[in-house]
């Protein structure tokens, strides 16, 4: 989010975790296509933390929460 605000590119290394690389790229695409602002994403992440405070959650849970906020439903095909 800081890189986006600073209008800088960012390299994100997944250390050969192909699924994580795919997930990050997909989430980036969803966020950009839906024109989600840094401000909006930050508010959603804060909301997620409050809602799930003290509970174990995975990256998939966070991504699902964001998709739900956008109203994005991935194709099941």
């Amino acid at each position: 989010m800081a890189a986006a605000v600073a209008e800088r590119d960012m390299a994100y290394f997944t250390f050969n975790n192909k699924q994580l690389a795919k997930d990050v790229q997909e989430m980036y695409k969803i966020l950009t296509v839906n024109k989600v602002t840094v401000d909006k994403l930050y508010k959603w992440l804060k909301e997620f933390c409050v809602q799930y405070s003290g509970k174990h959650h995975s990256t998939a849970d966070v991504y699902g929460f964001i998709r739900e906020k956008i109203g994005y439903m991935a194709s099941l095909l």
Side-chain angles (χ1 to χ4, degrees), residues 2-52:
V5 170
E7 297 180 356
R8 301 294 306 228
D9 290 336
M10 186 179 99
Y12 188 88
F13 295 94
T14 59
F15 300 99
N16 208 30
N17 182 331
K18 293 181 187 338
Q19 185 60 51
L20 178 58
K22 180 180 176 247
D23 292 345
V24 168
Q25 289 173 344
E26 181 183 331
M27 182 52 59
Y28 174 78
K29 182 178 177 182
I30 291 168
L31 293 170
T32 55
V33 165
N34 289 282
K35 298 182 171 119
V36 175
T37 64
V38 170
D39 179 56
K40 180 59 73 177
L41 180 59
Y42 180 74
K43 287 177 182 174
W44 288 341
L45 291 173
K46 281 182 22 179
E47 184 180 335
F48 178 85
C49 289
V50 169
Q51 188 171 336
Y52 294 95

